[in-house]
Short mmCIF file of all heavy atoms in Angstrom, two decimals:
data_model
loop_
_atom_site.label_atom_id
_atom_site.label_comp_id
_atom_site.label_asym_id
_atom_site.label_seq_id
_atom_site.Cartn_x
_atom_site.Cartn_y
_atom_site.Cartn_z
N SER A 1 34.59 -47.53 101.91
CA SER A 1 35.48 -47.35 103.07
C SER A 1 34.63 -47.24 104.33
O SER A 1 33.54 -46.66 104.33
CB SER A 1 36.33 -46.09 102.89
OG SER A 1 35.51 -44.94 102.76
N TYR A 2 35.17 -47.81 105.41
CA TYR A 2 34.45 -47.81 106.69
C TYR A 2 35.36 -47.18 107.76
O TYR A 2 36.56 -47.48 107.82
CB TYR A 2 34.07 -49.23 107.09
CG TYR A 2 33.10 -49.88 106.13
CD1 TYR A 2 33.56 -50.64 105.06
CD2 TYR A 2 31.73 -49.72 106.28
CE1 TYR A 2 32.68 -51.23 104.17
CE2 TYR A 2 30.83 -50.31 105.39
CZ TYR A 2 31.32 -51.05 104.35
OH TYR A 2 30.44 -51.63 103.46
N THR A 3 34.79 -46.31 108.54
CA THR A 3 35.56 -45.65 109.59
C THR A 3 35.69 -46.58 110.79
O THR A 3 34.90 -47.49 110.98
CB THR A 3 34.88 -44.35 110.02
OG1 THR A 3 33.55 -44.63 110.48
CG2 THR A 3 34.82 -43.38 108.86
N GLY A 4 36.67 -46.30 111.57
CA GLY A 4 36.88 -47.11 112.77
C GLY A 4 38.20 -47.84 112.69
O GLY A 4 38.71 -48.14 111.61
N GLN A 5 38.75 -48.14 113.84
CA GLN A 5 40.03 -48.84 113.90
C GLN A 5 39.81 -50.30 114.25
O GLN A 5 38.78 -50.69 114.77
CB GLN A 5 40.93 -48.17 114.93
CG GLN A 5 41.31 -46.74 114.57
CD GLN A 5 42.21 -46.11 115.61
OE1 GLN A 5 42.36 -46.63 116.71
NE2 GLN A 5 42.82 -44.99 115.24
N ASN A 6 40.85 -51.08 113.93
CA ASN A 6 40.83 -52.50 114.28
C ASN A 6 39.63 -53.24 113.69
O ASN A 6 39.00 -54.07 114.36
CB ASN A 6 40.88 -52.69 115.79
CG ASN A 6 42.12 -52.09 116.42
OD1 ASN A 6 43.20 -52.17 115.85
ND2 ASN A 6 41.95 -51.47 117.57
N LEU A 7 39.28 -52.91 112.46
CA LEU A 7 38.20 -53.64 111.79
C LEU A 7 38.65 -55.06 111.52
O LEU A 7 39.79 -55.30 111.10
CB LEU A 7 37.83 -52.96 110.47
CG LEU A 7 37.16 -51.60 110.54
CD1 LEU A 7 36.96 -51.03 109.15
CD2 LEU A 7 35.82 -51.70 111.27
N PRO A 8 37.77 -56.05 111.75
CA PRO A 8 38.15 -57.44 111.47
C PRO A 8 38.36 -57.68 109.97
O PRO A 8 37.75 -57.01 109.13
CB PRO A 8 36.96 -58.25 112.00
CG PRO A 8 35.83 -57.29 112.10
CD PRO A 8 36.42 -55.94 112.32
N THR A 9 39.22 -58.61 109.67
CA THR A 9 39.52 -58.97 108.28
C THR A 9 38.83 -60.28 107.93
O THR A 9 38.86 -61.25 108.70
CB THR A 9 41.04 -59.14 108.09
OG1 THR A 9 41.68 -57.89 108.39
CG2 THR A 9 41.37 -59.53 106.65
N TYR A 10 38.22 -60.32 106.77
CA TYR A 10 37.48 -61.51 106.32
C TYR A 10 37.96 -61.94 104.93
O TYR A 10 38.18 -61.09 104.05
CB TYR A 10 35.98 -61.22 106.24
CG TYR A 10 35.35 -60.82 107.55
CD1 TYR A 10 35.20 -59.48 107.89
CD2 TYR A 10 34.90 -61.78 108.45
CE1 TYR A 10 34.62 -59.10 109.08
CE2 TYR A 10 34.31 -61.41 109.66
CZ TYR A 10 34.17 -60.06 109.97
OH TYR A 10 33.59 -59.69 111.16
N PRO A 11 38.08 -63.25 104.71
CA PRO A 11 38.35 -63.73 103.35
C PRO A 11 37.05 -63.64 102.54
O PRO A 11 35.95 -63.74 103.10
CB PRO A 11 38.77 -65.18 103.56
CG PRO A 11 38.06 -65.59 104.82
CD PRO A 11 38.00 -64.35 105.69
N TYR A 12 37.19 -63.43 101.24
CA TYR A 12 35.98 -63.42 100.41
C TYR A 12 36.24 -64.12 99.07
O TYR A 12 37.37 -64.16 98.58
CB TYR A 12 35.47 -61.99 100.19
CG TYR A 12 36.34 -61.10 99.33
CD1 TYR A 12 36.16 -61.03 97.95
CD2 TYR A 12 37.32 -60.29 99.91
CE1 TYR A 12 36.95 -60.20 97.17
CE2 TYR A 12 38.11 -59.46 99.14
CZ TYR A 12 37.92 -59.41 97.76
OH TYR A 12 38.71 -58.59 96.99
N LEU A 13 35.16 -64.67 98.52
CA LEU A 13 35.24 -65.41 97.27
C LEU A 13 35.05 -64.48 96.09
O LEU A 13 34.08 -63.72 96.03
CB LEU A 13 34.16 -66.51 97.23
CG LEU A 13 34.26 -67.59 98.30
CD1 LEU A 13 33.04 -68.50 98.23
CD2 LEU A 13 35.54 -68.41 98.15
N ARG A 14 35.98 -64.53 95.14
CA ARG A 14 35.87 -63.81 93.87
C ARG A 14 35.46 -64.80 92.78
O ARG A 14 35.40 -66.02 93.02
CB ARG A 14 37.21 -63.18 93.50
CG ARG A 14 37.71 -62.15 94.52
CD ARG A 14 39.18 -61.82 94.25
NE ARG A 14 40.03 -62.97 94.52
CZ ARG A 14 41.10 -63.29 93.80
NH1 ARG A 14 41.43 -62.57 92.74
NH2 ARG A 14 41.84 -64.33 94.12
N VAL A 15 35.22 -64.29 91.59
CA VAL A 15 34.87 -65.16 90.46
C VAL A 15 35.96 -66.21 90.24
O VAL A 15 35.67 -67.38 89.97
CB VAL A 15 34.64 -64.32 89.19
CG1 VAL A 15 34.50 -65.23 87.96
CG2 VAL A 15 33.40 -63.45 89.34
N ALA A 16 37.22 -65.81 90.38
CA ALA A 16 38.34 -66.73 90.15
C ALA A 16 38.33 -67.91 91.12
O ALA A 16 38.87 -68.99 90.81
CB ALA A 16 39.67 -65.99 90.25
N ASN A 17 37.74 -67.72 92.29
CA ASN A 17 37.70 -68.80 93.29
C ASN A 17 36.59 -69.81 93.04
O ASN A 17 36.65 -70.94 93.53
CB ASN A 17 37.52 -68.22 94.70
CG ASN A 17 38.60 -67.23 95.08
OD1 ASN A 17 38.31 -66.08 95.42
ND2 ASN A 17 39.85 -67.65 95.05
N VAL A 18 35.57 -69.39 92.28
CA VAL A 18 34.40 -70.25 92.05
C VAL A 18 34.50 -70.83 90.64
O VAL A 18 34.24 -70.15 89.65
CB VAL A 18 33.09 -69.45 92.21
CG1 VAL A 18 31.88 -70.37 92.02
CG2 VAL A 18 33.04 -68.78 93.57
N GLN A 19 34.88 -72.10 90.57
CA GLN A 19 35.05 -72.77 89.30
C GLN A 19 33.84 -73.69 89.03
O GLN A 19 32.91 -73.76 89.83
CB GLN A 19 36.34 -73.58 89.30
CG GLN A 19 37.60 -72.72 89.48
CD GLN A 19 37.84 -71.79 88.32
OE1 GLN A 19 37.71 -72.17 87.16
NE2 GLN A 19 38.22 -70.55 88.61
N ALA A 20 33.86 -74.34 87.90
CA ALA A 20 32.75 -75.23 87.53
C ALA A 20 32.88 -76.55 88.27
O ALA A 20 33.65 -77.43 87.89
CB ALA A 20 32.75 -75.47 86.02
N GLY A 21 32.14 -76.67 89.37
CA GLY A 21 32.13 -77.92 90.13
C GLY A 21 33.12 -77.98 91.28
O GLY A 21 33.17 -78.98 92.00
N TYR A 22 33.90 -76.92 91.50
CA TYR A 22 34.85 -76.93 92.62
C TYR A 22 35.27 -75.50 92.94
O TYR A 22 35.01 -74.57 92.18
CB TYR A 22 36.08 -77.78 92.28
CG TYR A 22 36.98 -77.20 91.21
CD1 TYR A 22 38.12 -76.49 91.54
CD2 TYR A 22 36.68 -77.37 89.86
CE1 TYR A 22 38.95 -75.95 90.57
CE2 TYR A 22 37.51 -76.84 88.87
CZ TYR A 22 38.64 -76.14 89.23
OH TYR A 22 39.46 -75.60 88.26
N PHE A 23 35.94 -75.35 94.09
CA PHE A 23 36.48 -74.07 94.51
C PHE A 23 38.00 -74.08 94.40
O PHE A 23 38.64 -75.07 94.75
CB PHE A 23 36.09 -73.74 95.96
CG PHE A 23 34.63 -73.50 96.17
CD1 PHE A 23 33.83 -74.46 96.75
CD2 PHE A 23 34.05 -72.31 95.76
CE1 PHE A 23 32.48 -74.25 96.94
CE2 PHE A 23 32.71 -72.08 95.94
CZ PHE A 23 31.91 -73.05 96.53
N ASN A 24 38.55 -73.01 93.89
CA ASN A 24 40.00 -72.81 93.91
C ASN A 24 40.30 -71.79 95.00
O ASN A 24 40.09 -70.59 94.83
CB ASN A 24 40.48 -72.30 92.54
CG ASN A 24 41.98 -72.10 92.50
OD1 ASN A 24 42.67 -72.20 93.52
ND2 ASN A 24 42.52 -71.84 91.32
N LEU A 25 40.79 -72.28 96.13
CA LEU A 25 40.99 -71.43 97.30
C LEU A 25 42.47 -71.12 97.54
O LEU A 25 42.86 -70.72 98.65
CB LEU A 25 40.38 -72.11 98.54
CG LEU A 25 38.88 -72.43 98.42
CD1 LEU A 25 38.39 -73.16 99.68
CD2 LEU A 25 38.06 -71.18 98.17
N ASP A 26 43.30 -71.31 96.52
CA ASP A 26 44.74 -71.08 96.68
C ASP A 26 45.05 -69.60 96.87
O ASP A 26 46.03 -69.25 97.51
CB ASP A 26 45.50 -71.61 95.46
CG ASP A 26 45.42 -73.13 95.35
OD1 ASP A 26 45.19 -73.77 96.39
OD2 ASP A 26 45.58 -73.66 94.23
N ASP A 27 44.25 -68.74 96.27
CA ASP A 27 44.54 -67.30 96.32
C ASP A 27 43.27 -66.55 96.74
O ASP A 27 42.52 -66.06 95.91
CB ASP A 27 45.02 -66.82 94.94
CG ASP A 27 45.39 -65.33 94.96
OD1 ASP A 27 45.64 -64.81 96.05
OD2 ASP A 27 45.40 -64.72 93.87
N LEU A 28 43.07 -66.46 98.04
CA LEU A 28 41.88 -65.80 98.57
C LEU A 28 42.20 -64.35 98.93
O LEU A 28 43.19 -64.07 99.62
CB LEU A 28 41.37 -66.51 99.83
CG LEU A 28 40.36 -67.64 99.65
CD1 LEU A 28 40.00 -68.21 101.01
CD2 LEU A 28 39.11 -67.19 98.92
N ALA A 29 41.37 -63.44 98.46
CA ALA A 29 41.52 -62.03 98.84
C ALA A 29 40.85 -61.79 100.20
O ALA A 29 40.05 -62.61 100.67
CB ALA A 29 40.90 -61.14 97.77
N GLU A 30 41.19 -60.67 100.82
CA GLU A 30 40.62 -60.33 102.13
C GLU A 30 40.10 -58.90 102.11
O GLU A 30 40.53 -58.07 101.31
CB GLU A 30 41.66 -60.50 103.23
CG GLU A 30 42.11 -61.95 103.43
CD GLU A 30 43.10 -62.08 104.57
OE1 GLU A 30 43.82 -61.09 104.85
OE2 GLU A 30 43.16 -63.16 105.18
N ILE A 31 39.17 -58.64 103.01
CA ILE A 31 38.58 -57.31 103.12
C ILE A 31 38.33 -56.99 104.58
O ILE A 31 38.02 -57.89 105.38
CB ILE A 31 37.25 -57.24 102.31
CG1 ILE A 31 36.71 -55.82 102.27
CG2 ILE A 31 36.22 -58.20 102.86
CD1 ILE A 31 35.52 -55.65 101.33
N LYS A 32 38.47 -55.72 104.95
CA LYS A 32 38.18 -55.29 106.32
C LYS A 32 36.81 -54.66 106.35
O LYS A 32 36.51 -53.72 105.60
CB LYS A 32 39.24 -54.29 106.79
CG LYS A 32 40.60 -54.92 107.05
CD LYS A 32 41.56 -53.94 107.69
CE LYS A 32 42.87 -54.63 108.05
NZ LYS A 32 43.81 -53.70 108.73
N LEU A 33 35.96 -55.18 107.25
CA LEU A 33 34.58 -54.70 107.36
C LEU A 33 34.14 -54.72 108.82
O LEU A 33 34.61 -55.56 109.60
CB LEU A 33 33.62 -55.62 106.58
CG LEU A 33 33.67 -55.62 105.05
CD1 LEU A 33 32.74 -56.71 104.54
CD2 LEU A 33 33.25 -54.28 104.50
N PRO A 34 33.20 -53.86 109.18
CA PRO A 34 32.55 -54.01 110.49
C PRO A 34 31.81 -55.36 110.52
O PRO A 34 31.27 -55.80 109.49
CB PRO A 34 31.58 -52.84 110.54
CG PRO A 34 32.09 -51.85 109.54
CD PRO A 34 32.73 -52.66 108.46
N LYS A 35 31.75 -55.97 111.67
CA LYS A 35 31.15 -57.29 111.77
C LYS A 35 29.69 -57.29 111.33
O LYS A 35 29.24 -58.22 110.64
CB LYS A 35 31.25 -57.79 113.22
CG LYS A 35 30.71 -59.21 113.39
CD LYS A 35 30.88 -59.69 114.83
CE LYS A 35 30.31 -61.10 114.99
NZ LYS A 35 30.43 -61.58 116.40
N HIS A 36 28.93 -56.25 111.67
CA HIS A 36 27.51 -56.25 111.34
C HIS A 36 27.28 -56.11 109.83
O HIS A 36 26.23 -56.52 109.32
CB HIS A 36 26.78 -55.12 112.10
CG HIS A 36 27.09 -53.74 111.59
ND1 HIS A 36 28.23 -53.05 111.95
CD2 HIS A 36 26.40 -52.92 110.76
CE1 HIS A 36 28.23 -51.86 111.36
NE2 HIS A 36 27.14 -51.76 110.63
N ILE A 37 28.26 -55.57 109.12
CA ILE A 37 28.18 -55.51 107.66
C ILE A 37 28.58 -56.86 107.07
O ILE A 37 27.90 -57.39 106.18
CB ILE A 37 29.11 -54.41 107.10
CG1 ILE A 37 28.68 -53.03 107.62
CG2 ILE A 37 29.11 -54.43 105.57
CD1 ILE A 37 27.33 -52.55 107.12
N ALA A 38 29.66 -57.42 107.58
CA ALA A 38 30.16 -58.70 107.07
C ALA A 38 29.13 -59.80 107.19
O ALA A 38 29.01 -60.66 106.30
CB ALA A 38 31.44 -59.09 107.81
N GLU A 39 28.36 -59.80 108.27
CA GLU A 39 27.39 -60.87 108.52
C GLU A 39 26.34 -60.97 107.41
O GLU A 39 25.74 -62.02 107.22
CB GLU A 39 26.72 -60.66 109.87
CG GLU A 39 27.65 -60.96 111.05
CD GLU A 39 27.02 -60.60 112.39
OE1 GLU A 39 26.01 -59.84 112.38
OE2 GLU A 39 27.53 -61.06 113.42
N LYS A 40 26.13 -59.89 106.68
CA LYS A 40 25.15 -59.90 105.60
C LYS A 40 25.63 -60.72 104.40
O LYS A 40 24.84 -61.12 103.55
CB LYS A 40 24.86 -58.47 105.12
CG LYS A 40 24.27 -57.56 106.17
CD LYS A 40 24.09 -56.15 105.61
CE LYS A 40 23.56 -55.18 106.66
NZ LYS A 40 23.43 -53.80 106.10
N TYR A 41 26.94 -60.96 104.34
CA TYR A 41 27.51 -61.58 103.15
C TYR A 41 28.22 -62.90 103.44
O TYR A 41 28.94 -63.42 102.58
CB TYR A 41 28.51 -60.61 102.50
CG TYR A 41 27.91 -59.26 102.20
CD1 TYR A 41 28.31 -58.12 102.92
CD2 TYR A 41 26.93 -59.11 101.22
CE1 TYR A 41 27.76 -56.87 102.66
CE2 TYR A 41 26.38 -57.86 100.95
CZ TYR A 41 26.78 -56.76 101.66
OH TYR A 41 26.24 -55.53 101.41
N PHE A 42 28.01 -63.45 104.65
CA PHE A 42 28.62 -64.74 104.96
C PHE A 42 28.07 -65.83 104.04
O PHE A 42 26.88 -65.87 103.73
CB PHE A 42 28.34 -65.15 106.41
CG PHE A 42 29.22 -64.47 107.42
CD1 PHE A 42 28.75 -64.17 108.69
CD2 PHE A 42 30.53 -64.15 107.11
CE1 PHE A 42 29.56 -63.54 109.62
CE2 PHE A 42 31.35 -63.52 108.04
CZ PHE A 42 30.86 -63.22 109.29
N VAL A 43 28.96 -66.72 103.62
CA VAL A 43 28.55 -67.90 102.87
C VAL A 43 28.24 -69.01 103.87
O VAL A 43 29.01 -69.25 104.80
CB VAL A 43 29.68 -68.36 101.91
CG1 VAL A 43 29.23 -69.56 101.11
CG2 VAL A 43 30.08 -67.22 100.99
N ARG A 44 27.11 -69.66 103.68
CA ARG A 44 26.69 -70.73 104.60
C ARG A 44 26.87 -72.10 103.95
O ARG A 44 26.86 -72.23 102.73
CB ARG A 44 25.23 -70.53 105.00
CG ARG A 44 24.93 -69.22 105.69
CD ARG A 44 23.45 -69.14 106.04
NE ARG A 44 23.06 -67.82 106.53
CZ ARG A 44 21.82 -67.46 106.79
NH1 ARG A 44 20.82 -68.34 106.61
NH2 ARG A 44 21.54 -66.24 107.23
N VAL A 45 26.99 -73.11 104.81
CA VAL A 45 27.09 -74.48 104.31
C VAL A 45 25.86 -74.82 103.46
O VAL A 45 24.73 -74.49 103.83
CB VAL A 45 27.20 -75.47 105.49
CG1 VAL A 45 27.11 -76.92 104.99
CG2 VAL A 45 28.51 -75.26 106.24
N ASP A 46 26.10 -75.41 102.32
CA ASP A 46 25.10 -75.83 101.33
C ASP A 46 24.58 -74.68 100.45
O ASP A 46 23.66 -74.88 99.66
CB ASP A 46 23.91 -76.57 101.97
CG ASP A 46 24.28 -77.97 102.40
OD1 ASP A 46 25.25 -78.51 101.86
OD2 ASP A 46 23.60 -78.53 103.28
N ASP A 47 25.16 -73.48 100.59
CA ASP A 47 24.88 -72.43 99.61
C ASP A 47 25.44 -72.86 98.26
O ASP A 47 26.53 -73.45 98.18
CB ASP A 47 25.54 -71.11 100.01
CG ASP A 47 24.76 -70.35 101.07
OD1 ASP A 47 23.65 -70.80 101.44
OD2 ASP A 47 25.24 -69.29 101.52
#
């Protein structure tokens, strides 16, 4: 849990979203985090 109001919401990938050879993005979960925390876990192109 993180203190503070109006924390930004970010989509995140779970095991169910990462399939063999493709992504299933139909059901994406979301999480509220401070931006400086979220930046540590961003997925980048070609990861």
Side-chain angles (χ1 to χ4, degrees):
S1 59
Y2 296 92
T3 58
Q5 296 180 346
N6 300 321
L7 291 176
T9 299
Y10 300 94
Y12 68 90
L13 298 173
R14 299 166 293 143
V15 171
N17 303 123
V18 182
Q19 298 294 317
Y22 69 98
F23 293 104
N24 181 352
L25 303 178
D26 294 337
D27 182 21
L28 271 180
E30 294 182 333
I31 187 172
K32 289 188 175 182
L33 290 174
K35 184 178 179 181
H36 72 279
I37 298 293
E39 288 173 344
K40 299 177 182 179
Y41 306 110
F42 281 147
V43 182
R44 300 180 188 174
V45 172
D46 286 338
D47 280 355

